[in-house]
Amino acid sequence: MDIENLEGTVENVIYKNYENGYSIFNFSGKHGQITCTGFMAEVSEGEVLKLAGKYIVHPSYGKQFSFTTFERHMPDTVSGIEKYLGSGIIKGIGPRLAKRIVNVFKEDTFLIIEQYPETLSKIKGVSLKKANEISGSFCEQSELRLTLLALQEFDISPLLAQKIYEKYKTDAVAVVKNDPYSLIYTIYGIGFVKADKIAEKVGVPAFSGDRVRAGVIYTLNEAANKGHVYLPKNMLCDNAVEILNVGKDLVESGIVNLVAEKEIYIQMIDGKACVYNKYFYYFESYIAQKILELSIQDISGPHDVMGKISDFQKDTGILLADQQLNAVLAAVSSGVLVITGGPGTGKTTIIKAIIHILEGEGYEICLAAPTGRAAKRMAEATGKEAKTIHRLLGIGVSQNQNQNMYYNVSEEAPIEADVVIVDESSMIDISLMNSLLKVIPIGTKLVLVGDVDQLPSVGPGNILRDIIKSGHIKVVRLNEIFRQAEESAIVVNAHKINNGEYPIIDNKANDFFFVRRQMMDDAEQTIIQLVLNRLPGFKGLDFKKDIQVLSPMRKSKLGIMNLNKVLQAALNPPSENKAEREMANFVLRVGDKVMQLKNNYSIMWTVLKDGIAVEEGTGVFNGDEGIITGIDDRYVTVLFDDNKVVEYESTQLEEIDLSYAVTIHKSQGSEYKAVILPLLGGPPMLFNRNLLYTAVTRAKELCVIVGREDVLIQMVNNKREIERYSSLDLRIRDIHEYISR
């Protein structure tokens, strides 16, 4: 069929996908009016377009025009100009103001806005400041559209093109052409594979030194995404050769150049050359040195500690067990202490006792945790303020967002505290630990509390386990379950799993149930009914606030991607009263439960009270959960658990995902009244004891496992854990040996 051309004006935009630019709009011209479909970023009402494509017949919507290429022009009629300005594309102008402006300036409106913005202040309701803001937004939109059009040549999606423009403005096209691999480190969403395709488009040869170096760094970054701090050199070379499809000699040469440039470091471990990116090399070295400095300081505890412990027991009516007593004594006499134990072993009681004793002596105590949920739980348990580590640090943002380098923290701004107690320490990755230790001055006590048997941090490193493994930091292990906790089948079964014993699944307890299902479809329907009807009816639980589905996997019928779609359909179906925003693989809808997927230190949030902002700040972090409260053309608004309201722009929406179901890894540091865990089989690397133990310990009042008993047994028997390359324990030992000479 021959290509046809249409010229006309966009009457109204029916749909647009903000990720890939796919748009549907009504289009008027000499041809009459027809619905057009195709890929075009930032299409707006009132635009004048020339489209090339062909007519098609949609089975549901009839005749349409599917375009493959387009030319865009600014509207030149009064009605077109008014429609364009009133579409919301220009910040500060809505339909009413657009009408007032066009009524005055007619066909000269765009000229006035662009070149004589002060003239706009003649319009009622437009100050000189607002006039300049309108002009700035208008000019930026023009630049953006030219940039998006230019970047289409390199197969860059509208979403990524907009991000590149926001970063580089008028230099965006030059950066893409001259240094495409720099995008890996500056634009979230562009990794090596995408940058490599762009580089090929602009003519960068496969054997280019820039390409090889970028491939080596990318390989290390991919390893970091899997938790590794370093890679053995042989493994790094093999992986990079596979990614780059070049000879090993070129990769070896690239590694030599990166070492010379001090972008990577090589260290011998057990006779093998191991390669670190520069950040993790510095971080591990600093953490090892600082934690030893804190641990060996001369600490004189308060007088008559046993008397103060006795006072605590009298005041609270709590009698400390021997292990708890040892932990409290160690805390008041040590520079650094690790307290580790599973659920029901009395960690919270120990924290309360430490606070009671040391605050009574005038010590300033700071409580912190890696996530908002964990900090909130810590505050509720102790009755004292607890902050997230990020908030404690007042972290700034770094440009190097693909290097896990978000921390802009200085030792010159230490926190004012005599004691720092950190809960859920198993979640702390190498970057966060580096930043935390920077603000803890020598002379301050550090108490790390956590469960070393849970999954390691989502980010790179194995901090808590390595500190314990080093053998040079004081550790108290708790393994006694207290009487009250013994009444919980969740606690009892968690410890059984951790000890390699099979949990009790006779369904006689009132907080731990095993629902046998053999088929994926049956399990899926059971999970829907549990969330929708059975658990709310059984315990009066709220499906958004109290119930969480946890899955070991992302993919498969019982992975979070599918479960989120089916749970969304059951719990928050589409409605004329609910606005939606379609993403690449799912739909966001008002009322949806969502989770933040990455740390974003620069995004603005507001805490509202009776519609009035009572607090403002920046930063939303990996694992934060909330509910979508609004969706319009510009923003998706989310109300998070801590009452922070965040407005996400289109370029930020890939940072959130539906969270009716989340991976077990993402649930770390969180606690839910009810947990539903589907177990019908999967990769042995994932279906292991460590993962099962972590999932069960997330449940506070109710744990329901849906699946097969043989899979449960296999997980308990499977002690295999994914190996992480980290060397903090070795660095602590080496430094300790050096300073002990």
Side-chain angles (χ1 to χ4, degrees):
M1 185 180 292
D2 294 336
I3 296 295
E4 298 191 51
N5 296 302
L6 295 183
E7 293 187 46
T9 303
V10 178
E11 293 296 330
N12 66 294
V13 179
I14 300 169
Y15 168 82
K16 54 184 172 182
N17 185 303
Y18 289 82
E19 290 197 53
N20 60 23
Y22 181 75
S23 302
I24 304 173
F25 52 85
N26 288 327
F27 193 58
S28 294
K30 293 180 180 179
H31 56 273
Q33 185 174 107
I34 191 168
T35 300
C36 295
T37 65
F39 293 89
M40 179 189 300
E42 295 294 313
V43 62
S44 297
E45 295 171 3
E47 276 196 277
V48 177
L49 303 174
K50 182 177 181 180
L51 306 176
K54 60 184 179 180
Y55 287 99
I56 62 172
V57 177
H58 191 280
S60 300
Y61 301 109
K63 189 177 180 181
Q64 297 180 339
F65 188 78
S66 174
F67 64 88
T68 52
T69 62
F70 62 88
E71 294 177 17
R72 61 201 323 163
H73 307 278
M74 296 299 283
D76 54 7
T77 65
V78 170
S79 61
I81 293 170
E82 181 183 330
K83 184 170 286 190
Y84 178 82
L85 288 181
S87 68
I89 195 169
I90 307 300
K91 292 179 181 177
I93 300 183
R96 292 182 180 178
L97 181 55
K99 188 175 187 65
R100 294 205 302 273
I101 292 173
V102 174
N103 281 343
V104 174
F105 299 111
K106 310 294 183 186
E107 290 88 349
D108 294 329
T109 296
F110 289 154
L111 176 68
I112 294 295
I113 292 175
E114 186 174 11
Q115 298 186 21
Y116 308 102
E118 66 279 358
T119 312
L120 290 174
S121 60
K122 296 178 180 179
I123 304 295
K124 183 179 179 181
V126 180
S127 64
L128 184 59
K129 179 182 177 182
K130 185 170 183 177
N132 287 322
E133 288 174 351
I134 289 171
S135 179
S137 177
F138 178 83
C139 293
E140 186 167 339
Q141 277 297 319
S142 299
E143 292 172 0
L144 171 61
R145 288 174 179 236
L146 288 173
T147 301
L148 296 183
L149 195 61
L151 293 183
Q152 279 185 348
E153 177 186 345
F154 309 116
D155 293 335
I156 298 174
S157 73
L159 179 67
L160 290 178
Q162 190 166 341
K163 287 185 177 184
I164 295 170
Y165 174 79
E166 288 174 357
K167 170 67 179 172
Y168 294 107
K169 301 300 182 184
T170 54
D171 294 328
V173 177
V175 170
V176 168
K177 287 183 175 180
N178 300 325
D179 193 10
Y181 292 106
S182 68
L183 301 175
I184 299 170
Y185 313 110
T186 58
I187 307 298
Y188 181 74
I190 294 184
F192 175 79
V193 175
K194 184 63 185 176
D196 206 32
K197 289 180 179 177
I198 297 170
E200 184 180 12
K201 285 275 186 180
V202 301
V204 177
F207 51 83
S208 158
D210 287 343
R211 178 174 184 265
V212 172
R213 286 195 294 273
V216 171
I217 294 294
Y218 168 76
T219 305
L220 284 175
N221 289 344
E222 283 297 287
N225 290 336
K226 297 175 182 176
H228 302 303
V229 173
Y230 68 85
L231 279 182
K233 185 182 175 186
N234 286 340
M235 184 182 293
L236 172 63
C237 286
D238 291 345
N239 292 351
V241 165
E242 185 176 347
I243 289 166
L244 291 162
N245 195 26
V246 298
K248 192 170 183 178
D249 57 331
L250 283 178
V251 172
E252 293 271 10
S253 177
I255 290 174
V256 169
N257 290 333
L258 285 166
V259 170
E261 295 162 9
K262 296 185 177 180
E263 290 295 320
I264 63 175
Y265 285 83
I266 297 179
Q267 181 168 329
M268 300 301 293
I269 297 177
D270 295 330
K272 294 181 180 179
C274 298
V275 186
Y276 300 72
N277 77 35
K278 62 182 179 182
Y279 302 108
F280 296 162
Y281 181 83
Y282 294 144
F283 289 175
E284 264 201 353
S285 300
Y286 178 81
I287 292 168
Q289 178 181 332
K290 185 63 176 285
I291 207 155
L292 278 172
E293 288 177 350
L294 289 169
S295 70
I296 63 176
Q297 59 191 317
D298 184 20
I299 298 289
S300 56
H303 298 293
D304 189 21
V305 175
M306 290 307 297
K308 291 176 172 58
I309 291 174
S310 179
D311 291 341
F312 167 77
Q313 293 181 137
K314 289 176 183 176
D315 292 345
T316 61
I318 298 172
L319 182 63
L320 297 178
D322 289 345
Q323 290 181 345
Q324 293 176 306
L325 182 62
N326 291 337
V328 174
L329 291 172
V332 299
S333 61
S334 305
V336 178
L337 173 67
V338 173
I339 301 171
T340 183
T345 55
K347 296 189 294 293
T348 301
T349 298
I350 294 169
I351 294 173
K352 287 180 180 178
I354 294 169
I355 294 171
H356 184 279
I357 292 165
L358 294 181
E359 274 194 341
E361 291 291 300
Y363 285 70
E364 185 74 23
I365 298 178
C366 176
L367 304 182
T371 67
R373 280 178 174 252
K376 183 179 180 181
R377 194 168 68 248
M378 193 181 190
E380 290 171 348
T382 61
K384 302 291 182 180
E385 181 187 17
K387 298 179 179 179
T388 63
I389 296 175
H390 305 97
R391 190 173 182 186
L392 175 69
L393 298 173
I395 288 172
V397 65
S398 163
Q399 298 300 323
N400 202 348
Q401 297 214 1
N402 282 10
Q403 288 278 0
N404 296 302
M405 260 295 296
Y406 305 110
Y407 309 110
N408 182 19
V409 177
S410 171
E411 288 181 313
E412 297 176 2
I415 57 175
E416 296 180 1
D418 303 302
V419 183
V420 177
I421 304 175
V422 184
D423 201 7
E424 296 286 358
S425 296
S426 64
M427 293 182 63
I428 302 176
D429 65 22
I430 187 172
S431 301
L432 191 56
M433 191 65 176
N434 173 73
S435 296
L436 176 62
L437 290 177
K438 276 188 175 181
V439 300
I440 298 179
I442 301 300
T444 299
K445 292 175 179 291
L446 174 62
V447 180
L448 299 173
V449 183
D451 187 349
V452 74
D453 294 319
Q454 287 188 23
L455 291 171
S457 58
V458 175
N462 221 339
I463 299 299
L464 188 64
R465 190 167 297 185
D466 280 356
I467 289 174
I468 294 172
K469 189 178 175 183
S470 74
H472 291 296
I473 303 299
K474 179 70 176 176
V475 178
V476 175
R477 293 180 180 270
L478 308 172
N479 50 35
E480 180 183 351
I481 306 175
F482 290 95
R483 184 181 303 169
Q484 186 176 1
E486 285 180 340
E487 298 174 1
S488 167
I490 295 173
V491 172
V492 171
N493 280 335
H495 283 272
K496 280 182 172 292
I497 291 166
N498 198 36
N499 293 329
E501 303 171 26
Y502 304 135
I504 301 167
I505 54 173
D506 57 11
N507 291 343
K508 292 181 179 179
N510 64 1
D511 63 348
F512 195 99
F513 295 93
F514 190 86
V515 182
R516 289 170 173 81
R517 293 291 184 269
Q518 295 295 321
M519 306 300 293
M520 293 278 191
D521 288 344
D522 293 341
E524 178 188 273
Q525 289 305 310
T526 298
I527 291 167
I528 293 171
Q529 289 306 312
L530 283 167
V531 177
L532 190 62
N533 300 314
R534 292 169 64 179
L535 296 192
F538 173 56
K539 285 214 169 189
L541 299 170
D542 182 284
F543 74 84
K544 288 182 180 177
K545 296 179 181 177
D546 303 328
I547 303 172
Q548 185 63 59
V549 178
L550 302 180
S551 176
M553 302 175 292
R554 287 191 58 81
K555 297 180 180 179
S556 92
K557 189 120 181 135
L558 298 180
I560 66 165
M561 293 176 69
N562 179 64
L563 287 176
N564 269 319
K565 288 181 180 178
V566 298
L567 288 169
Q568 180 192 47
L571 301 169
N572 190 33
S575 164
E576 292 182 0
N577 300 323
K578 296 176 186 175
E580 294 183 353
R581 175 72 62 85
E582 186 164 342
M583 306 296 290
N585 299 310
F586 59 94
V587 173
L588 294 174
R589 185 174 297 133
V590 170
D592 275 337
K593 184 177 175 181
V594 293
M595 175 180 280
Q596 176 77 12
L597 300 179
K598 66 181 285 284
N599 292 335
N600 184 330
Y601 297 98
S602 58
I603 195 167
M604 295 289 298
W605 53 259
T606 306
V607 175
L608 302 176
K609 187 174 182 180
D610 298 326
I612 300 172
V614 295
E615 187 180 358
E616 294 180 340
T618 60
V620 182
F621 305 107
N622 188 354
D624 287 353
E625 290 188 88
I627 302 294
I628 295 178
T629 57
I631 296 177
D632 58 29
D633 285 342
R634 288 191 60 195
Y635 299 112
V636 171
T637 304
V638 178
L639 173 63
F640 283 95
D641 287 341
D642 50 7
N643 294 320
K644 292 178 181 175
V645 176
V646 176
E647 291 183 329
Y648 288 85
E649 295 183 348
S650 300
T651 55
Q652 298 166 322
L653 287 178
E654 63 187 349
E655 297 180 12
I656 59 174
D657 198 357
L658 297 174
S659 64
Y660 298 101
V662 301
T663 61
I664 296 169
H665 240 122
K666 282 287 187 183
S667 72
Q668 286 177 271
S670 296
E671 188 177 73
Y672 309 96
K673 285 187 177 181
V675 162
I676 301 171
L677 177 62
L679 296 179
L680 265 82
M685 190 68 75
L686 285 178
F687 278 64
N688 58 35
R689 183 188 302 175
N690 192 214
L691 196 83
L692 177 61
Y693 172 72
T694 301
V696 171
T697 56
R698 299 306 89 204
K700 184 179 179 182
E701 297 180 8
L702 184 64
C703 180
V704 182
I705 299 177
V706 179
R708 292 176 10 215
E709 188 172 343
D710 63 311
V711 174
L712 180 66
I713 290 171
Q714 288 168 13
M715 291 186 75
V716 174
N717 291 339
N718 183 8
K719 292 180 63 177
R720 183 181 181 185
E721 295 179 26
I722 300 174
E723 182 180 11
R724 283 197 169 194
Y725 292 113
S726 63
S727 51
L728 179 60
D729 57 326
L730 301 179
R731 293 190 191 279
I732 292 174
R733 289 176 200 158
D734 289 345
I735 295 174
H736 186 273
E737 182 180 343
Y738 177 80
I739 62 179
S740 299
R741 290 174 183 171

